């Protein structure tokens, strides 16, 4: 496949670009995870402080009481966390687009998912339950045919779904004042959702690093093959990639 794509005149991808997008994407995921750790800390503080005698911030009927200092600081923490998530999303999508394009160049085949699903796949109901993971898995398998999908990809996606579907994770529907009221009365579901989001962020960062390392090694293998004189022996790529990048061992596809 490597020789066929190169001889067909396809432009070889540059491994520097996937590394340059992969590092910020992993960092963005860890930043978002840290923001959710801060949320959890403030929710514990709210639970320990207890609900004021004046009741929850949202009094019902459009009435809101003045917030105390702890509640005000929780609003600030959630706002900063929202900014971290936006930054994380931009960095991650930039990396994913690069990995997808590289996989197409390396395999000589069109991706399974159209480019529009890089963005709509996260928000369109039902398909957002599997399309984002599918885009990552498709890019990995086209980059490394026959290699087992990294476990971190499935862990990331499973925890992401828990956080998303819990109603208090990254795509929560409750307002900040409603979450404050829940922290006063039922903090454990909030903390469980926060833990899922933090776990998804860490696993996602590991998945980005693993996929980036495997694709980088594949690109370098293609570049070496394109400059090796005819008749010279070539090391088989999967074995070299597993040894040099610390990637997952060879195995059947999922």
């Amino acid at each position: 496949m490597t020789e066929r794509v190169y001889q067909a005149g396809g432009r070889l991808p540059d491994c520097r670009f996937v590394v340059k997008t992969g590092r910020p994407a992993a960092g963005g995921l860890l930043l978002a995870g840290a923001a959710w750790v801060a949320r959890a800390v403030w929710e514990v503080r709210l639970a320990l402080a207890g609900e004021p005698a004046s009741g929850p911030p949202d009094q019902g009927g459009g009435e809101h009481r003045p917030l105390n200092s702890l509640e005000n600081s929780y609003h600030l923490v959630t706002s900063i966390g929202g900014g971290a998530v936006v930054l994380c999303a931009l960095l991650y999508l930039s990396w994913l687009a690069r990995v997808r394009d590289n996989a197409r160049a390396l395999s000589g085949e069109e991706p399974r998912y159209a480019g529009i699903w890089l963005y709509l796949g996260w928000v369109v109901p039902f398909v957002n339950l599997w399309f984002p993971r599918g885009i990552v898995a498709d890019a990995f398998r086209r980059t490394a045919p026959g290699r087992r999908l990294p476990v971190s990809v499935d862990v990331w996606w499973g925890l992401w779904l828990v956080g998303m579907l819990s109603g208090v994770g990254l795509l929560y529907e409750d307002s900040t004042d409603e979450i404050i009221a829940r922290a006063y009365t039922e903090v454990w579901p909030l903390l469980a959702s926060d833990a899922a989001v933090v776990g998804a962020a860490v696993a996602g960062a590991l998945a980005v690093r693993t996929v980036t390392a495997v694709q980088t090694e594949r690109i370098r293998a293609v570049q070496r093959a394109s400059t090796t004189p005819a008749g010279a022996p070539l090391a088989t790529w999967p074995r070299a990639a597993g040894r040099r990048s610390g990637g997952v061992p060879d195995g059947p596809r999922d």
Side-chain angles (χ1 to χ4, degrees), residues 118-138:
L118 278 173
Y119 313 101
L120 294 185
W122 299 88
V123 296
V124 175
F126 301 112
V127 300
N128 63 352
L129 297 178
W130 73 88
F131 269 32
R133 176 198 175 277
I135 293 171
V136 176
D138 181 60

Side-chain angles (χ1 to χ4, degrees), residues 161-254:
L161 290 179
V162 171
M164 181 177 67
L165 298 177
S166 66
V168 290
L170 289 170
L171 301 180
Y172 59 86
E173 298 178 357
D174 290 347
S175 68
T176 304
D177 283 347
E178 289 171 329
I179 294 177
I180 289 173
R182 293 182 63 181
Y184 284 136
T185 59
E186 47 177 2
V187 71
W188 291 111
L190 292 176
L191 296 180
S193 178
D194 292 338
V197 172
V198 172
V202 174
L206 292 174
V208 168
R209 288 175 60 88
T210 302
V211 174
T212 299
V214 171
Q215 189 167 91
T216 298
E217 183 57 31
R218 175 70 192 281
I219 293 172
R220 288 172 176 166
V222 172
Q223 292 170 339
R224 287 194 300 268
S226 67
T227 57
T228 300
L234 289 175
T236 57
W237 173 78
R239 182 180 301 173
R243 182 175 65 251
R244 295 185 56 183
S245 68
V248 290
D250 299 346
R253 298 186 184 184
D254 289 355

